[in-house]
Amino acid sequence: MKSINNIIKSLAALTLAFAASSCSDFLNEQVPQGTLSDEQVNTPAYVDKQVTAAYAIFVSAEDINASFSLWNYDVRSDDAYKGGSTTNDGDVFHQLEVSQGILSTSWNLNDIWVRLYNSLSRVNAAIHAVESCDDSYVLKQERMAELRFLRAYAHFQLKRLFKKIPFVLRTDLTYDEYGQITNTEFTNDEGWAKIAEDLEWAYNVLPVTQEDKGRPTKAACAAFLAKVYLYKAYRQDNENTNEVTSINEDDLRKVIEYTAPAIYSAGGYALEKDIHNNFRPEEQFENGPESIWAIQYSRNDGTKYGSLNLGYGLICPNIVNVTDGGCDFYKPSQNLVNAFRTGADGLPLLDDYNKADYDMATDNADPRLFLTVGMPGLPYMFNTKFMMDRSSSWSRSGGLYGYNVTLKQNVDPALLGSYLIKSSFWASSMNRIVFRYADVLLMRAEAEAQLGNTAEAINLVNQIRTRAAGSTQMISNYPSKYGVKFYCKNYSGTFSKEQTMKIVKMERRLELAMESERFLDLVRWGEAATVLNAYYAVEKSKCNIYEEAKFTPNKNEYLPIPYQQVSAANGNYKQNCGNW
């Protein structure tokens, strides 16, 4: 495997070849072939091709085992089981699932590292090209803002996974300077600040709306800044631990600033009427009002399979005579299903939700359960031709990982051949929303709660719950036909800061379930060890794959820096804490 330094150097030289790869729905032109002069390379038309290449990498570089959605790494959370056929089917992800046997030499860790730094290299090459253009390039500032947004995105994903990462913020580094990059140049807090620096520059330049939906808007940059400052607020100041040492109020106020409603209303962003509309592949649903920024996938860009979402390729269930070959990974946990149960007041059982398993025949549930998790006795993807049961169609493992199936990443089999397509693995053209408006409301609610503004936080949570209660367009007949009981009410009364934070955290779990945020949230809050060891204690009584599971604090919060990278870095990389 190449080190980051070699990747950056070689990819910068190969940008012309990369630029010919297919891109998103709005960017699918081809770079002229052959040798180009400096004058040609520095023309606005050609530089725009380089920008196209930077966008393209976020489609072409991801893989079924290294999805940029990070679902492969969310199997560490209490939301999902690894899935597949056995524990040996993707054994390195099983090791992540039980927090045991993870090695810095594991191929999956180096894989996501390399792919994200490939993306970063492509972006920096495009930034260098834009910088080389004179002011006759009318879009120079706007394209630079887009690229700095993309650079922040690559660094952000890497930092959430690996914590101690090398930042590549200059595009004019010499060969020798590349070899001197370290992953400890910045403290943890300074690293978040560097990501915010790119975004704040972009925020002042990006337009309120974009004709090309895949380009970030001012609101997209604001949502991204809010998320960066929310991570930054939970300080991990001791470099020898991963503990949250303090919560910074200035950072929380930045979250409030960048989640101001006026920023989003100006761009036409709002909650969808029904949450399920965010997870439909048809063109009339994609890039809806809640989608602030999404990776744009395509099925008809002139290539054999289009620019399909291959990152979800392992998730499709193995439906006999329909999706034969589906791998059935990333299966919703029983713990997650239980979290959707509601009490006599229509509210979540904040402390008691996992004391008994959800019973479809007797328990009340938040409607979002049936839009997030496919369960035996119900139609898969709301299509009655595909009723879920306890058979191999719905569990390649024979029940080892249960029979639940995630719905947010999958597509109705009725759309086979149009939006559900078999290439090397099952894929679809459904966009992946990176920032959606519900997340903005929840980030604002969390910041308000931490600042002691509990009434404002509860009001924001209630906006999410009101939409949840009305999200029944696909499941309106479930109570009469399948006997399920919808019951989802808003919070009323007053709550302490501690109670409000508990409410916000639960709402965040329910709303963003199976969107690969859960584990990262637990680490950000400093709660991963407590929550996951409690989860393991219950799971090991039900399934022997968790018998040896144990989350080690100040180790398992982050992935180890891959051995291949450390060994190639000439002593310039320091390993994360935890005795890897």
Side-chain angles (χ1 to χ4, degrees), residues 272-280 332 336-337 340 358 365-375 378-382 405-411 430 436 464 466-478 484 486 510-515:
E272 283 274 9
K273 183 178 180 181
D274 190 302
I275 185 178
H276 178 59
N277 290 346
N278 292 301
F279 306 99
R280 300 189 67 169
L336 176 62
V337 171
F340 282 98
Y358 165 74
D366 185 317
R368 287 174 293 187
L369 169 60
F370 308 102
L371 303 172
T372 305
V373 183
M375 295 176 285
L378 298 176
Y380 171 63
M381 297 308 302
F382 323 107
V405 174
T406 179
L407 300 181
K408 286 183 175 178
Q409 291 84 8
N410 281 312
V411 173
M430 181 169 61
R436 63 182 179 97
I464 301 291
T466 297
R467 194 270 294 275
S471 293
T472 59
Q473 63 178 346
M474 305 302 293
I475 56 176
S476 59
N477 68 338
Y478 277 28
V484 305
F486 300 155
L510 299 176
E511 176 68 19
L512 301 178
M514 303 302 288
E515 295 179 46

Short mmCIF file of all heavy atoms in Angstrom, two decimals, residues 272-280 332 336-337 340 358 365-375 378-382 405-411 430 436 464 466-478 484 486 510-515:
data_model
loop_
_atom_site.label_atom_id
_atom_site.label_comp_id
_atom_site.label_asym_id
_atom_site.label_seq_id
_atom_site.Cartn_x
_atom_site.Cartn_y
_atom_site.Cartn_z
N GLU A 272 -38.78 17.73 5.26
CA GLU A 272 -39.73 17.06 4.39
C GLU A 272 -41.02 16.79 5.17
O GLU A 272 -41.00 16.63 6.39
CB GLU A 272 -39.15 15.73 3.90
CG GLU A 272 -38.13 15.83 2.81
CD GLU A 272 -38.74 15.86 1.42
OE1 GLU A 272 -39.98 15.98 1.32
OE2 GLU A 272 -37.98 15.78 0.44
N LYS A 273 -42.13 16.70 4.47
CA LYS A 273 -43.39 16.37 5.14
C LYS A 273 -43.32 14.99 5.77
O LYS A 273 -43.85 14.74 6.86
CB LYS A 273 -44.54 16.44 4.14
CG LYS A 273 -45.91 16.18 4.77
CD LYS A 273 -47.02 16.32 3.75
CE LYS A 273 -48.38 16.05 4.37
NZ LYS A 273 -49.48 16.16 3.37
N ASP A 274 -42.65 14.06 5.09
CA ASP A 274 -42.49 12.69 5.57
C ASP A 274 -41.01 12.34 5.51
O ASP A 274 -40.36 12.53 4.47
CB ASP A 274 -43.30 11.73 4.69
CG ASP A 274 -43.38 10.32 5.23
OD1 ASP A 274 -42.31 9.70 5.42
OD2 ASP A 274 -44.49 9.82 5.45
N ILE A 275 -40.45 11.83 6.58
CA ILE A 275 -39.01 11.54 6.62
C ILE A 275 -38.59 10.57 5.52
O ILE A 275 -37.48 10.66 5.00
CB ILE A 275 -38.60 10.99 8.02
CG1 ILE A 275 -37.08 10.80 8.09
CG2 ILE A 275 -39.34 9.72 8.36
CD1 ILE A 275 -36.59 10.31 9.44
N HIS A 276 -39.48 9.66 5.14
CA HIS A 276 -39.12 8.66 4.13
C HIS A 276 -38.76 9.27 2.79
O HIS A 276 -38.01 8.67 2.02
CB HIS A 276 -40.25 7.65 3.96
CG HIS A 276 -39.97 6.60 2.93
ND1 HIS A 276 -38.89 5.74 3.00
CD2 HIS A 276 -40.61 6.28 1.76
CE1 HIS A 276 -38.88 4.94 1.95
NE2 HIS A 276 -39.91 5.25 1.19
N ASN A 277 -39.26 10.46 2.50
CA ASN A 277 -38.94 11.09 1.21
C ASN A 277 -37.45 11.34 1.05
O ASN A 277 -36.95 11.48 -0.07
CB ASN A 277 -39.69 12.42 1.07
CG ASN A 277 -41.18 12.23 0.89
OD1 ASN A 277 -41.65 11.13 0.61
ND2 ASN A 277 -41.94 13.30 1.06
N ASN A 278 -36.72 11.39 2.16
CA ASN A 278 -35.27 11.58 2.09
C ASN A 278 -34.53 10.35 1.60
O ASN A 278 -33.33 10.43 1.28
CB ASN A 278 -34.72 11.96 3.47
CG ASN A 278 -35.17 13.32 3.93
OD1 ASN A 278 -34.91 14.32 3.28
ND2 ASN A 278 -35.86 13.37 5.07
N PHE A 279 -35.22 9.22 1.57
CA PHE A 279 -34.55 7.95 1.26
C PHE A 279 -35.26 7.23 0.12
O PHE A 279 -35.43 6.01 0.13
CB PHE A 279 -34.51 7.09 2.53
CG PHE A 279 -33.90 7.83 3.69
CD1 PHE A 279 -34.69 8.41 4.65
CD2 PHE A 279 -32.52 7.97 3.79
CE1 PHE A 279 -34.14 9.13 5.71
CE2 PHE A 279 -31.95 8.68 4.83
CZ PHE A 279 -32.76 9.26 5.79
N ARG A 280 -35.64 8.01 -0.89
CA ARG A 280 -36.25 7.46 -2.10
C ARG A 280 -35.39 7.82 -3.30
O ARG A 280 -34.89 8.95 -3.39
CB ARG A 280 -37.67 8.00 -2.27
CG ARG A 280 -38.58 7.65 -1.11
CD ARG A 280 -40.03 8.00 -1.38
NE ARG A 280 -40.59 7.16 -2.43
CZ ARG A 280 -41.90 7.11 -2.71
NH1 ARG A 280 -42.76 7.85 -2.01
NH2 ARG A 280 -42.35 6.33 -3.67
N PRO A 332 -30.03 -3.77 11.34
CA PRO A 332 -30.44 -3.06 12.56
C PRO A 332 -30.49 -3.98 13.77
O PRO A 332 -30.99 -5.11 13.70
CB PRO A 332 -31.84 -2.55 12.20
CG PRO A 332 -31.86 -2.50 10.70
CD PRO A 332 -31.01 -3.65 10.26
N LEU A 336 -31.71 -1.15 18.84
CA LEU A 336 -32.25 -0.01 18.11
C LEU A 336 -33.76 -0.11 17.98
O LEU A 336 -34.48 0.87 18.20
CB LEU A 336 -31.61 0.10 16.72
CG LEU A 336 -32.18 1.20 15.83
CD1 LEU A 336 -31.95 2.57 16.44
CD2 LEU A 336 -31.58 1.13 14.42
N VAL A 337 -34.25 -1.29 17.62
CA VAL A 337 -35.70 -1.49 17.51
C VAL A 337 -36.37 -1.13 18.83
O VAL A 337 -37.39 -0.41 18.87
CB VAL A 337 -36.02 -2.94 17.11
CG1 VAL A 337 -37.53 -3.21 17.21
CG2 VAL A 337 -35.53 -3.22 15.69
N PHE A 340 -37.22 2.57 19.72
CA PHE A 340 -38.36 3.24 19.10
C PHE A 340 -39.67 3.02 19.86
O PHE A 340 -40.69 3.63 19.51
CB PHE A 340 -38.54 2.76 17.65
CG PHE A 340 -37.56 3.39 16.68
CD1 PHE A 340 -36.40 2.72 16.30
CD2 PHE A 340 -37.82 4.63 16.13
CE1 PHE A 340 -35.52 3.29 15.40
CE2 PHE A 340 -36.94 5.21 15.22
CZ PHE A 340 -35.79 4.53 14.86
N TYR A 358 -39.04 -5.14 21.98
CA TYR A 358 -40.26 -4.60 21.38
C TYR A 358 -41.15 -5.73 20.86
O TYR A 358 -40.68 -6.64 20.18
CB TYR A 358 -39.90 -3.65 20.25
CG TYR A 358 -41.05 -3.31 19.33
CD1 TYR A 358 -42.06 -2.44 19.74
CD2 TYR A 358 -41.14 -3.87 18.06
CE1 TYR A 358 -43.12 -2.14 18.89
CE2 TYR A 358 -42.18 -3.57 17.21
CZ TYR A 358 -43.18 -2.71 17.63
OH TYR A 358 -44.23 -2.42 16.80
N ALA A 365 -45.21 2.29 19.25
CA ALA A 365 -43.92 2.59 18.61
C ALA A 365 -44.01 3.89 17.83
O ALA A 365 -45.06 4.26 17.29
CB ALA A 365 -43.50 1.46 17.68
N ASP A 366 -42.89 4.56 17.77
CA ASP A 366 -42.68 5.72 16.91
C ASP A 366 -42.78 5.26 15.46
O ASP A 366 -42.16 4.26 15.08
CB ASP A 366 -41.28 6.27 17.22
CG ASP A 366 -40.94 7.56 16.51
OD1 ASP A 366 -41.25 7.69 15.31
OD2 ASP A 366 -40.32 8.42 17.15
N PRO A 367 -43.55 5.94 14.59
CA PRO A 367 -43.66 5.51 13.18
C PRO A 367 -42.32 5.38 12.47
O PRO A 367 -42.20 4.60 11.51
CB PRO A 367 -44.52 6.60 12.55
CG PRO A 367 -45.31 7.18 13.67
CD PRO A 367 -44.41 7.10 14.87
N ARG A 368 -41.32 6.13 12.92
CA ARG A 368 -40.01 6.05 12.25
C ARG A 368 -39.40 4.66 12.33
O ARG A 368 -38.55 4.31 11.49
CB ARG A 368 -39.05 7.08 12.87
CG ARG A 368 -39.35 8.52 12.48
CD ARG A 368 -38.48 9.52 13.22
NE ARG A 368 -38.79 9.54 14.65
CZ ARG A 368 -38.27 10.42 15.51
NH1 ARG A 368 -37.38 11.32 15.09
NH2 ARG A 368 -38.59 10.38 16.79
N LEU A 369 -39.83 3.86 13.30
CA LEU A 369 -39.32 2.48 13.37
C LEU A 369 -39.57 1.76 12.06
O LEU A 369 -38.68 1.08 11.53
CB LEU A 369 -40.00 1.73 14.52
CG LEU A 369 -39.78 0.21 14.57
CD1 LEU A 369 -38.29 -0.13 14.70
CD2 LEU A 369 -40.58 -0.40 15.73
N PHE A 370 -40.76 1.90 11.51
CA PHE A 370 -41.17 1.13 10.33
C PHE A 370 -40.66 1.75 9.03
O PHE A 370 -40.83 1.16 7.96
CB PHE A 370 -42.70 1.01 10.33
CG PHE A 370 -43.23 0.51 11.63
CD1 PHE A 370 -43.81 1.38 12.55
CD2 PHE A 370 -43.11 -0.83 11.98
CE1 PHE A 370 -44.28 0.93 13.78
CE2 PHE A 370 -43.57 -1.29 13.21
CZ PHE A 370 -44.15 -0.41 14.10
N LEU A 371 -40.02 2.92 9.14
CA LEU A 371 -39.38 3.54 7.98
C LEU A 371 -37.87 3.36 8.04
O LEU A 371 -37.16 3.70 7.09
CB LEU A 371 -39.71 5.04 7.94
CG LEU A 371 -41.20 5.37 7.89
CD1 LEU A 371 -41.41 6.87 8.05
CD2 LEU A 371 -41.82 4.88 6.59
N THR A 372 -37.39 2.79 9.15
CA THR A 372 -35.96 2.58 9.36
C THR A 372 -35.59 1.10 9.34
O THR A 372 -34.55 0.72 8.79
CB THR A 372 -35.54 3.19 10.72
OG1 THR A 372 -35.91 4.56 10.77
CG2 THR A 372 -34.04 3.05 10.95
N VAL A 373 -36.45 0.27 9.92
CA VAL A 373 -36.16 -1.15 10.09
C VAL A 373 -37.24 -2.01 9.44
O VAL A 373 -38.43 -1.85 9.74
CB VAL A 373 -36.06 -1.51 11.59
CG1 VAL A 373 -35.67 -2.98 11.76
CG2 VAL A 373 -35.06 -0.61 12.30
N GLY A 374 -36.84 -2.91 8.56
CA GLY A 374 -37.75 -3.93 8.04
C GLY A 374 -37.71 -5.13 8.97
O GLY A 374 -36.64 -5.63 9.31
N MET A 375 -38.91 -5.60 9.39
CA MET A 375 -38.99 -6.68 10.38
C MET A 375 -39.89 -7.81 9.89
O MET A 375 -40.81 -7.57 9.09
CB MET A 375 -39.53 -6.12 11.71
CG MET A 375 -38.61 -5.12 12.38
SD MET A 375 -39.34 -4.40 13.88
CE MET A 375 -40.53 -3.28 13.16
N LEU A 378 -43.73 -7.91 8.16
CA LEU A 378 -44.04 -6.66 7.46
C LEU A 378 -43.48 -6.71 6.04
O LEU A 378 -42.54 -7.46 5.77
CB LEU A 378 -43.44 -5.48 8.22
CG LEU A 378 -43.96 -5.23 9.64
CD1 LEU A 378 -43.21 -4.08 10.30
CD2 LEU A 378 -45.47 -4.96 9.63
N PRO A 379 -44.02 -5.90 5.13
CA PRO A 379 -43.50 -5.90 3.75
C PRO A 379 -42.17 -5.17 3.66
O PRO A 379 -41.97 -4.12 4.26
CB PRO A 379 -44.59 -5.15 2.97
CG PRO A 379 -45.29 -4.31 3.98
CD PRO A 379 -45.22 -5.06 5.29
N TYR A 380 -41.26 -5.77 2.92
CA TYR A 380 -39.95 -5.16 2.69
C TYR A 380 -40.10 -3.99 1.74
O TYR A 380 -40.70 -4.11 0.66
CB TYR A 380 -39.00 -6.20 2.11
CG TYR A 380 -37.67 -5.65 1.63
CD1 TYR A 380 -36.78 -5.06 2.53
CD2 TYR A 380 -37.31 -5.74 0.29
CE1 TYR A 380 -35.56 -4.56 2.09
CE2 TYR A 380 -36.08 -5.26 -0.15
CZ TYR A 380 -35.22 -4.66 0.75
OH TYR A 380 -34.02 -4.17 0.31
N MET A 381 -39.56 -2.86 2.12
CA MET A 381 -39.64 -1.62 1.33
C MET A 381 -41.08 -1.31 0.93
O MET A 381 -41.35 -0.83 -0.16
CB MET A 381 -38.72 -1.69 0.10
CG MET A 381 -37.25 -1.84 0.42
SD MET A 381 -36.56 -0.60 1.58
CE MET A 381 -36.93 0.93 0.75
N PHE A 382 -42.03 -1.67 1.85
CA PHE A 382 -43.44 -1.31 1.72
C PHE A 382 -44.12 -1.98 0.52
O PHE A 382 -45.19 -1.56 0.09
CB PHE A 382 -43.59 0.22 1.63
CG PHE A 382 -42.60 0.94 2.52
CD1 PHE A 382 -41.52 1.61 1.98
CD2 PHE A 382 -42.73 0.88 3.90
CE1 PHE A 382 -40.58 2.23 2.81
CE2 PHE A 382 -41.80 1.50 4.74
CZ PHE A 382 -40.73 2.17 4.19
N VAL A 405 -33.82 -5.81 8.61
CA VAL A 405 -33.12 -5.28 7.44
C VAL A 405 -33.23 -3.75 7.47
O VAL A 405 -34.30 -3.21 7.77
CB VAL A 405 -33.74 -5.82 6.13
CG1 VAL A 405 -33.11 -5.15 4.92
CG2 VAL A 405 -33.57 -7.33 6.04
N THR A 406 -32.14 -3.06 7.16
CA THR A 406 -32.20 -1.61 7.10
C THR A 406 -32.98 -1.15 5.87
O THR A 406 -32.87 -1.75 4.79
CB THR A 406 -30.80 -0.99 7.08
OG1 THR A 406 -30.92 0.43 7.00
CG2 THR A 406 -29.96 -1.49 5.93
N LEU A 407 -33.78 -0.11 6.02
CA LEU A 407 -34.60 0.40 4.92
C LEU A 407 -34.03 1.67 4.30
O LEU A 407 -34.31 1.96 3.14
CB LEU A 407 -36.02 0.67 5.42
CG LEU A 407 -36.78 -0.52 5.99
CD1 LEU A 407 -38.18 -0.10 6.43
CD2 LEU A 407 -36.86 -1.67 4.99
N LYS A 408 -33.25 2.44 5.03
CA LYS A 408 -32.81 3.74 4.52
C LYS A 408 -31.85 3.62 3.35
O LYS A 408 -31.76 4.53 2.54
CB LYS A 408 -32.19 4.56 5.66
CG LYS A 408 -33.20 5.11 6.65
CD LYS A 408 -32.55 5.97 7.71
CE LYS A 408 -33.59 6.62 8.61
NZ LYS A 408 -32.96 7.44 9.69
N GLN A 409 -31.08 2.54 3.28
CA GLN A 409 -30.11 2.38 2.19
C GLN A 409 -30.64 1.53 1.04
O GLN A 409 -29.99 1.44 0.00
CB GLN A 409 -28.82 1.74 2.71
CG GLN A 409 -28.00 2.61 3.64
CD GLN A 409 -28.48 2.56 5.07
OE1 GLN A 409 -29.34 1.76 5.42
NE2 GLN A 409 -27.95 3.42 5.91
N ASN A 410 -31.79 0.90 1.21
CA ASN A 410 -32.26 -0.05 0.22
C ASN A 410 -33.37 0.53 -0.65
O ASN A 410 -33.95 1.57 -0.35
CB ASN A 410 -32.71 -1.34 0.90
CG ASN A 410 -31.53 -2.22 1.27
OD1 ASN A 410 -30.64 -2.46 0.45
ND2 ASN A 410 -31.49 -2.69 2.52
N VAL A 411 -33.67 -0.18 -1.74
CA VAL A 411 -34.61 0.28 -2.76
C VAL A 411 -35.64 -0.81 -3.02
O VAL A 411 -35.31 -2.00 -3.01
CB VAL A 411 -33.84 0.62 -4.07
CG1 VAL A 411 -34.81 0.95 -5.20
CG2 VAL A 411 -32.90 1.80 -3.83
N MET A 430 -29.58 6.19 -5.86
CA MET A 430 -30.10 7.05 -4.81
C MET A 430 -28.98 7.89 -4.20
O MET A 430 -27.94 7.38 -3.81
CB MET A 430 -30.77 6.21 -3.73
CG MET A 430 -31.36 7.02 -2.59
SD MET A 430 -32.43 6.03 -1.50
CE MET A 430 -31.27 4.80 -0.88
N ARG A 436 -28.59 17.01 6.28
CA ARG A 436 -30.02 17.27 6.08
C ARG A 436 -30.56 18.15 7.20
O ARG A 436 -29.99 18.24 8.29
CB ARG A 436 -30.82 15.99 5.92
CG ARG A 436 -30.88 15.00 7.07
CD ARG A 436 -31.71 13.78 6.62
NE ARG A 436 -31.82 12.74 7.63
CZ ARG A 436 -32.86 12.61 8.45
NH1 ARG A 436 -33.87 13.47 8.39
NH2 ARG A 436 -32.89 11.63 9.33
N ILE A 464 -39.06 17.95 15.29
CA ILE A 464 -38.70 16.66 14.72
C ILE A 464 -39.78 15.63 15.03
O ILE A 464 -40.18 14.82 14.16
CB ILE A 464 -37.34 16.18 15.27
CG1 ILE A 464 -36.22 17.18 14.95
CG2 ILE A 464 -37.00 14.79 14.76
CD1 ILE A 464 -35.86 17.28 13.51
N THR A 466 -42.99 16.12 15.71
CA THR A 466 -44.23 16.40 14.97
C THR A 466 -44.15 15.82 13.57
O THR A 466 -45.10 15.19 13.09
CB THR A 466 -44.47 17.92 14.90
OG1 THR A 466 -44.66 18.43 16.22
CG2 THR A 466 -45.70 18.24 14.05
N ARG A 467 -42.99 16.00 12.91
CA ARG A 467 -42.82 15.41 11.58
C ARG A 467 -42.82 13.88 11.66
O ARG A 467 -43.40 13.20 10.80
CB ARG A 467 -41.52 15.92 10.96
CG ARG A 467 -41.40 15.64 9.45
CD ARG A 467 -40.76 14.33 9.12
NE ARG A 467 -39.38 14.28 9.51
CZ ARG A 467 -38.37 14.73 8.78
NH1 ARG A 467 -38.57 15.27 7.60
NH2 ARG A 467 -37.12 14.60 9.23
N ALA A 468 -42.20 13.34 12.71
CA ALA A 468 -42.17 11.88 12.86
C ALA A 468 -43.58 11.31 12.97
O ALA A 468 -43.91 10.30 12.32
CB ALA A 468 -41.35 11.50 14.09
N ALA A 469 -44.42 11.94 13.77
CA ALA A 469 -45.78 11.44 13.96
C ALA A 469 -46.58 11.45 12.67
O ALA A 469 -47.47 10.61 12.47
CB ALA A 469 -46.49 12.28 15.02
N GLY A 470 -46.26 12.38 11.77
CA GLY A 470 -46.98 12.47 10.51
C GLY A 470 -46.35 11.72 9.36
O GLY A 470 -46.85 11.77 8.23
N SER A 471 -45.26 11.00 9.62
CA SER A 471 -44.55 10.28 8.55
C SER A 471 -45.16 8.90 8.34
O SER A 471 -44.56 7.87 8.67
CB SER A 471 -43.06 10.18 8.90
OG SER A 471 -42.45 11.44 8.89
N THR A 472 -46.34 8.88 7.77
CA THR A 472 -47.07 7.61 7.62
C THR A 472 -47.57 7.36 6.20
O THR A 472 -48.39 6.48 5.98
CB THR A 472 -48.26 7.56 8.59
OG1 THR A 472 -49.13 8.66 8.32
CG2 THR A 472 -47.80 7.62 10.05
N GLN A 473 -47.07 8.11 5.22
CA GLN A 473 -47.59 7.95 3.86
C GLN A 473 -47.41 6.53 3.33
O GLN A 473 -48.27 6.02 2.60
CB GLN A 473 -46.92 8.95 2.91
CG GLN A 473 -45.41 8.76 2.76
CD GLN A 473 -44.77 9.72 1.77
OE1 GLN A 473 -45.46 10.38 1.01
NE2 GLN A 473 -43.45 9.80 1.79
N MET A 474 -46.30 5.88 3.70
CA MET A 474 -46.02 4.54 3.21
C MET A 474 -46.59 3.45 4.10
O MET A 474 -46.65 2.28 3.70
CB MET A 474 -44.51 4.33 3.06
CG MET A 474 -43.80 5.35 2.21
SD MET A 474 -44.43 5.44 0.51
CE MET A 474 -43.95 3.83 -0.11
N ILE A 475 -46.97 3.80 5.32
CA ILE A 475 -47.33 2.79 6.32
C ILE A 475 -48.69 3.06 6.97
O ILE A 475 -48.98 2.54 8.04
CB ILE A 475 -46.24 2.72 7.41
CG1 ILE A 475 -46.02 4.10 8.05
CG2 ILE A 475 -44.93 2.17 6.84
CD1 ILE A 475 -45.02 4.12 9.19
N SER A 476 -49.52 3.83 6.31
CA SER A 476 -50.79 4.24 6.93
C SER A 476 -51.70 3.06 7.25
O SER A 476 -52.51 3.13 8.19
CB SER A 476 -51.53 5.22 6.01
OG SER A 476 -51.79 4.63 4.74
N ASN A 477 -51.56 1.95 6.51
CA ASN A 477 -52.41 0.79 6.77
C ASN A 477 -51.78 -0.24 7.71
O ASN A 477 -52.37 -1.29 7.97
CB ASN A 477 -52.78 0.10 5.45
CG ASN A 477 -51.58 -0.55 4.77
OD1 ASN A 477 -50.43 -0.19 5.04
ND2 ASN A 477 -51.84 -1.51 3.88
N TYR A 478 -50.60 0.05 8.23
CA TYR A 478 -49.93 -0.92 9.10
C TYR A 478 -50.74 -1.24 10.36
O TYR A 478 -50.81 -2.41 10.76
CB TYR A 478 -48.53 -0.43 9.47
CG TYR A 478 -47.46 -0.72 8.44
CD1 TYR A 478 -47.76 -0.84 7.08
CD2 TYR A 478 -46.13 -0.88 8.80
CE1 TYR A 478 -46.79 -1.09 6.14
CE2 TYR A 478 -45.14 -1.15 7.86
CZ TYR A 478 -45.47 -1.25 6.53
OH TYR A 478 -44.50 -1.52 5.61
N VAL A 484 -49.76 -3.14 14.16
CA VAL A 484 -48.80 -2.30 14.87
C VAL A 484 -49.51 -1.09 15.46
O VAL A 484 -50.61 -0.72 15.04
CB VAL A 484 -47.65 -1.85 13.95
CG1 VAL A 484 -46.97 -3.04 13.30
CG2 VAL A 484 -48.15 -0.89 12.88
N PHE A 486 -48.96 2.88 16.24
CA PHE A 486 -48.21 4.13 16.17
C PHE A 486 -48.60 4.99 17.38
O PHE A 486 -49.78 5.17 17.68
CB PHE A 486 -48.57 4.93 14.92
CG PHE A 486 -48.29 4.25 13.61
CD1 PHE A 486 -49.00 4.61 12.47
CD2 PHE A 486 -47.32 3.27 13.49
CE1 PHE A 486 -48.77 4.00 11.26
CE2 PHE A 486 -47.08 2.66 12.28
CZ PHE A 486 -47.80 3.02 11.15
N LEU A 510 -32.91 8.32 17.27
CA LEU A 510 -34.09 7.86 16.55
C LEU A 510 -34.15 8.47 15.15
O LEU A 510 -34.42 7.77 14.17
CB LEU A 510 -35.35 8.23 17.33
CG LEU A 510 -35.49 7.61 18.72
CD1 LEU A 510 -36.74 8.15 19.41
CD2 LEU A 510 -35.51 6.09 18.66
N GLU A 511 -33.91 9.75 15.05
CA GLU A 511 -34.04 10.44 13.77
C GLU A 511 -32.95 10.04 12.79
O GLU A 511 -33.19 9.89 11.59
CB GLU A 511 -34.01 11.95 13.98
CG GLU A 511 -34.05 12.79 12.71
CD GLU A 511 -35.37 12.71 11.96
OE1 GLU A 511 -36.39 12.30 12.56
OE2 GLU A 511 -35.39 13.06 10.75
N LEU A 512 -31.73 9.85 13.28
CA LEU A 512 -30.59 9.57 12.40
C LEU A 512 -30.18 8.10 12.42
O LEU A 512 -29.10 7.74 11.97
CB LEU A 512 -29.40 10.45 12.81
CG LEU A 512 -29.65 11.96 12.76
CD1 LEU A 512 -28.42 12.72 13.24
CD2 LEU A 512 -30.05 12.42 11.37
N ALA A 513 -31.05 7.24 12.93
CA ALA A 513 -30.75 5.81 13.03
C ALA A 513 -30.34 5.24 11.67
O ALA A 513 -30.94 5.54 10.64
CB ALA A 513 -31.96 5.06 13.56
N MET A 514 -29.30 4.43 11.67
CA MET A 514 -28.76 3.76 10.48
C MET A 514 -28.23 4.75 9.44
O MET A 514 -28.14 4.44 8.27
CB MET A 514 -29.79 2.82 9.86
CG MET A 514 -30.32 1.76 10.80
SD MET A 514 -29.05 0.68 11.52
CE MET A 514 -28.58 -0.31 10.09
N GLU A 515 -27.84 5.94 9.90
CA GLU A 515 -27.20 6.91 9.01
C GLU A 515 -25.74 7.12 9.40
O GLU A 515 -25.11 8.10 9.03
CB GLU A 515 -27.97 8.24 9.02
CG GLU A 515 -29.37 8.12 8.43
CD GLU A 515 -30.15 9.42 8.44
OE1 GLU A 515 -29.58 10.47 8.05
OE2 GLU A 515 -31.33 9.40 8.85
#
